[in-house]
Amino acid sequence: MRIFSSLLLLSFLLLCTSVNTQAQKVGVVLSGGGADGVAHIGVLKALEENHIPIDYIVGTSMGAFIAGMYASGYSVAEIENFIKSDKFKRAAEGDVEEKYIFYLKKKESDASWISFKFAPDTVLSTSLPTNFISPVPIDFTLVELFANSSAAANYNFDSLMIPFRCVGSDVTEKRQVVFNKGDVGQCIRASMSYPFYIKPILIDGNLFFDGGLYNNFPIDVLYHDFKPDVIIGSSVADKIKAPDEDNVILQIKSMLINRGKSEPVPVPSIIIEPLVENIGLFEFKNAAKVLDNGYDAAYQKMDSIKLLISRRENADSLSCKRQLFMGKKERLVFERILIDGLKPKQAHYVKKLLSSNNKLITLEELKPKYYRLVADDKIRQIYPLSKYNTKSGYYDLLLKIKREKDLFISFGGNVSSRPINAGFIGLQYNYLRKISITSSGNIYFGKLYGSYHAKLRFDFPSRLPFYAEASFTRSRWDFFKSSTAFFEESKPSFLVQNDLYGDINLGLPAKNKGKIITGAAFANSYDKYYQTKVFSANDTADRTDFYLSSPYIYYERNTLNKKQYANSGTYFLAKLRYISGREVNHPGSTAEIRNVYSRYHNWFNLHLVYDNYFKRKGNLRLGFYVEGVFSNQDFFNNYTASILSAPGFMPIPESRTLFLENFRSHSFAAGGLRTIVNLYTNFDIRLEGFVYQPYKEIIKQPDLTAAYGAPFAKVYFIGSSSLIYHSPIGPLSFSVNYYDRKTNSFNFLFSFGYLLFNKKSTE
């Protein structure tokens, strides 16, 4: 029985490895071309279905990626499924998968447009990107796909399942480089580093860009390195349209892409030229159609291919060859993490973030920790590279890291058609050793809003990273008159809110996408107002001070893709706080009762928010928004003080700049629907409608005190229609907004920038 089993195994191996040395050798070459290169998958699919052998494969840029996957043992079906996957689309757009977004490290949203970065030993640089996308998702994906393939081939491209070459452009030496050994993923990354789209990489001290700069269709490389008897080429390079003065993408393609060597190779060759869509360089939403174009183009040439190539490779033989190579791959388990580019104490911080309970860490365990590191604002750039250690039987992970610069200066604000314009200046200083320290602050200045804010944050690396921070904020809101100075008004305003508070808190991650924060705020909130519309410049306003302390705990989860006018992702907040304080009311000259009033207040407040963009069909995106506040808060001394201290419903950006009495109450439930139509890249139309239901409306009494209306007596509405352009530095919008109130229900607003503000003490 053992002899019979051995004979079967020997027969299987002979079937998988037998090669007729006299048979034709077939080489395949795949051009670059960005998303149009997906057509190469269709070509490979057609060749396999017709049992056309592939003995060698070469590619540039996107062609290198597909050729590298095929050479590394991935089937055509696996390559197709991966290219069509959301994971690949996100990587191609520089977006981290939602489940790996590390929200604990996400910077608090503010009104900044642009940042300038400084370091003591370097010149000024800006945060305006030199590349369109973040390379982080692509870099890690290449490790996932090719690290164990490289090790299985002993880092020799001739020992892959199919011998492989790819082309990169060494811009340091100004020459073409043909990669035949090393890490497959790193070489592919060099070959597809398209200028202005994704950062170039350093290999052995030389800077590499996309291989298409020197050779976008490397048919000469295929012949020179492998000497095949027949060459099959798939080229989408020659189909690029001539550039015009209005199409930047075509201009870049025309300037940068070298369509290949013009010299003919001295062997028979058939070139397949799939119909291309001339879509964006890395817009893969039409991957299925582009793939079908490659498949159809290959079938149009199939009769000629079969006449030229007599040899066939059946599916069983190909499957055996694939299984043999895939069986050599070792699971990615890392024993050592090596840091290049940081000082020892800084490297200690990184290793603590990536550490695990065991000495060994699998790729699956490493991935969420890696993206936690990427999210750290002390890290500017990180490139992962794995190497198999033959002695230990595990992998080493080398992380090439560049620190972010120490000092950030940010500028921004909002320019609007209403008198709510605001300027913004932000500062941040980074300190990285065994712990990470961030000191930051900002200033807002404008007629409606003025504020300054300072914060000190300590981040502690561990298997469960956490932070502790302390902050101080002062804000002033003038809803009815502009002020001539930053905080002091030259004459009384009808309604001015002031907020002065300090806050201390501790933050913990709730997996990657959420965080749990607990802390306490200590504040003096004071409001100046008239309870009548009839007053003179000589009158003095009523003033209500509220001296409060407020412990709180909340859970927050955020995957929204934009800090204002998001169109994908979700946001969830569940916040519980206890507020205790003393109200002191100083009546003004127009008040009927002139006695100073003082009273203590205590209440609980539960605040829930859920914002979800949940469905996408073509250019249409649907979403809904739900918010609720549940509180046992009581009334202040008068109606105006009571309504000012009550929570408000503000679902659209402009609503935060208005004092909307109808949309303030101690407890309420509200919600609405959002419809977003993507007209063109970065252009959206937003249609939004919301319903606000107070549990008991706060009503003004004849004696100017506050009282509750009947439960659920009234419902109020907010509607908005907007045209949005998402510019590189901030949104440009024109909106028509409706608020259910007695007068001035419709507002027209033209706005550029962000209507975002520092938090209030009770938020």
Side-chain angles (χ1 to χ4, degrees), residues 679-739:
L679 296 178
Y680 190 67
T681 304
N682 295 324
F683 278 94
D684 290 340
I685 289 180
R686 296 176 70 95
L687 302 175
E688 305 173 74
F690 304 93
V691 177
Y692 172 78
Q693 174 65 74
Y695 170 54
K696 291 181 179 179
E697 188 177 12
I698 300 175
I699 298 174
K700 190 174 186 178
Q701 299 293 92
D703 62 355
L704 304 181
T705 60
Y708 283 127
F712 307 111
K714 290 187 178 181
V715 177
Y716 295 96
F717 301 93
I718 292 177
S720 177
S721 60
S722 306
L723 174 65
I724 314 293
Y725 169 62
H726 299 282
S727 80
I729 61 174
L732 177 68
S733 66
F734 176 76
S735 59
V736 180
N737 302 319
Y738 171 81
Y739 305 97

Side-chain angles (χ1 to χ4, degrees), residues 61-73:
S61 194
M62 189 62 188
F65 181 77
I66 293 169
M69 287 194 72
Y70 194 78
S72 297

Side-chain angles (χ1 to χ4, degrees), residues 73-91:
Y74 295 97
S75 68
V76 171
E78 288 173 324
I79 300 171
E80 178 179 352
N81 289 336
F82 179 73
I83 293 293
K84 291 179 179 178
S85 69
D86 182 66
K87 177 181 177 179
F88 176 76
K89 290 175 185 175
R90 281 183 170 272

